Every structure is written in structure tokens, then in C-alpha cells.
Amino acid sequence: MRGRSLAAVSGLMLAGMSWANPAFAQAPAKDDKAALLEELARERAALEAQQRALDEQRARLRALEERLAGRPATGRDRPNAGPPGSVPLPPSPAPVASARTGAQPVGEAPSDQRQVQVAVLGEQGGIITRAGRLTVEASLEYARADRNRVIFRGIEIPQSVLVGVFDINESRQDVLTAAATLRLGLTGRLETHARLPYVYRSDRSVLAPVADPANPNAGQIDHPVTNGGIGDVDFGLRYQFTNGRNGWPYLIAGMQAVAPTGTNPFKVRRDALGNALEAATGAGFWGATPSLTAILPTDPAVLFGTLGYTVNFGRDIGRRIGPAFVDRVKPGDEPAASAGIAVSLNPRTSLSFGYAHTWSFGTKTRLRSIDPRTGELGELSSTKTRDLQLGRFLFGISYRTNRRTTVNWNVELGATDDATDLRTTLRIPLTIDP
């Protein structure tokens, strides 16, 4: 009896403790434990995915800061390499991956294509090549120049009656140039470059004297000449002063030199009248061009401009050309300016438009006349040709085939009488990273 009472009391006490304290309640079912574990695993995976996305975004920001500061990116922080010679636009925000699946939202471009690159026109140059990077560029260029000129020597009678001698001069020049260019980044701000061209040139001149009382046998003279060979090699350095921060443009100073490695126009074979029997592939003079380029990215476009001044160095010739003995020739200097805009159509394609103008000062020549009967040299005299105004409209298109290569096509149309009528260039640069 007493044992049964104690058992009853103990049962009541345990029941009361179970009701008062949940710790003594019945343990949850096994299915509830599995659900909680699965939810915990999902939340942990979501946190890890978010952390990875934050780490990737932090790496992109760090790489962009180093790029703007002129320091090469290293390791995982290295940004996607843009096409050589291109200008990076501010990248659009990369889409954040889903915390649970890691997938990108529908309609968003992959992040490696959102680093929009805009290539400016070839003569303007781009951002400095990254330290240690080598760019090899192949180019093919065609230029065409036509000149038509009518010279009248005589007198003019009222009512537009001309009495005298007419000379109708026509010259056509076709120049095809294949070149290889190397650019090497020495530091994050300094690069060097060199260009070796092969030139094929065809010149054709026509002189048609319509009437010449002193020479009734005068007729049309058609004189074509051609030649091919190595052209003038150019090389130089470019240094980047600013990083393009706080709305400021990239400022890049350059120094380029041209060496007279092509066929000298004063040493080509000529006939007794001084007419060239073969075309020259070089200018025959040393030249140096300091320049300053400004490039301002403004998404989705890039504004650019260049100021330059070419100094041409004279040289002694000491050769008879036709009826004169040429003593010394000094080509005129050439101040130049250009400006334009490059617009990105999509992450791979961009268009460029611009205008360039060069003022070429007249060439000074020291020479002596030669007596045709005795061959004696006359008094030393100096002449200077007129200045030339060379204006060109610039057009270009760039297509990024992959992260190492682009295809660039540029066109120049002469805007002044002195400028070349047409010049078109195809450039294909290839980047080689260390």
C-alpha cells in the first residue's frame, strides 16, 4: 500500500515537472531535425555565396584602383585585359549572383564583356601599355593623291581671251605600306614603340603643253615611276602623367623620331632634265615630334585630342639635279592638332570620328644655277616653297575579337587641296602578356 502511494506521488511529481519545464517534454521527431539541418545548410551556403560575391567585387575595385594609379594588377586582382591601344570606359556594375543558385539574372551580359573598351584612332594612341606587356601590331595602309594644275604664261585680253602658253600638269601618287609595330610597357607609366614599314610607291605625272611657239614639237609627256623597299623607321617613348581620376583626362606626353632609312629622293636615278626614274620610299630627312595627348572617358564615349610639333632637320645635298646644283635642303617644321570622339556601340564595337590639321611650313633650298654651255656654277641663291595646309577628316571602327586582339579600320579624307585625297589603314594588334 505504501509502495503504491510513493509510486503515485512520484508519477504526479514527474508529470508536474514535465508540464512546468519544456526540457522534460517529449523530444522532437526525427523529421523536424532533418528539416532544421537542411535549412541551416541552405542559409550557410547562401552566406558563403554572398561572401564570394563580395570578395570578387572587392578584387575588381582593387584592380581598378591599381590600374588608375598606374600600377600593374597582379594575381587574382588583374582585370580583364582590354584590346591593345584601347581606352577603358568606367565599367557597368557587375550583376550580383543569386545567393542560393549562383546564377546571373536573365538579360545581363557576362561580366567579362561589360568591361567596355573603346579604341581611338591610330595616330592618337591610347592608354600606356601595362608594364611587361608586349603588343605586336600588323598594319596595311593605302594612300592616294591626285593633283591637277593648269599654268598660264601670257597676257589676258578683256572678254576672257587668253594669249600665251598653257601647261596642264597632272600627277597621281599611290602608296601601299605594310608595317610591323612593337609596343612594350616599361613601367606602369612609360612605354616604348618602334615601327618598321615596307613601302610600294607608284608615281605618275603628265605634262601637256597645249601650245608653245618656241617648241612646236612639244607634246604630252607621260612619266610613270615605281619602286618598293623599306621606308622610314620611326620609334619613340610615351609617358602618362595623370590617372584620369576626379573627372580629369589622361594626359600622355610622347616623343617620336623618324630615321631616313627609306630610299632618299635626292639619290634616286634621274634623267638629264632631273626627272626621277624611280620613286623614293623615304623622305630623306631626320625628324622629331614631341606631342601631348588628352583622353577623357565619358561613358559611353571617349573624347581625345593631340597637339604636336614636328621638327625636320635639314641636310647638305651637294648634287646636280636637272639645270641646278642643289647645295642644301631644309624641310619646314609642322605644327599639328587633332581632336575627336570615340563612341562605344556595344562591348565589342566602337566608332571614332575626328579632324586633324597640319600646317607644313615651306621648304628652304640653297642652290646654284648651272650654265648649260660651260657647265659653270652660278651665284648661290635661296628659295622657299609656299606653306601647305593639310586638313583631314578622320573615321574609324574597332571590333574586339577577343581579350587579346582587335580589328581596327581607319579612313582619312582630305579636307584641303594640299592634303592626300584618301588614306585608309587596317590595323590588327596582338597583346602578349608575360
Side-chain angles (χ1 to χ4, degrees), residues 303-335:
L303 304 177
F304 57 87
T306 298
L307 293 175
Y309 191 95
T310 299
V311 179
N312 292 309
F313 299 94
R315 59 177 297 178
D316 295 332
I317 304 302
R319 184 182 179 189
R320 175 175 178 170
I321 299 179
F325 181 85
V326 180
D327 182 65
R328 182 176 177 82
V329 176
K330 168 62 171 70
D333 294 344
E334 299 175 345

Side-chain angles (χ1 to χ4, degrees), residues 84-103:
S86 62
V87 181
L89 290 178
S92 302
V96 179
S98 171
R100 295 182 182 271
T101 64

Side-chain angles (χ1 to χ4, degrees), residues 257-270:
V258 178
T261 55
T263 305
N264 191 325
F266 299 100
K267 292 184 178 180
V268 297
R269 296 181 297 109
R270 296 178 179 271

Side-chain angles (χ1 to χ4, degrees), residues 388-404:
L388 302 178
Q389 300 293 336
L390 309 175
R392 294 102 64 202
F393 292 112
L394 313 175
F395 308 92
I397 184 170
S398 173
Y399 179 75
R400 177 186 177 188
T401 58
N402 54 57
R403 63 191 299 266
R404 294 181 179 273

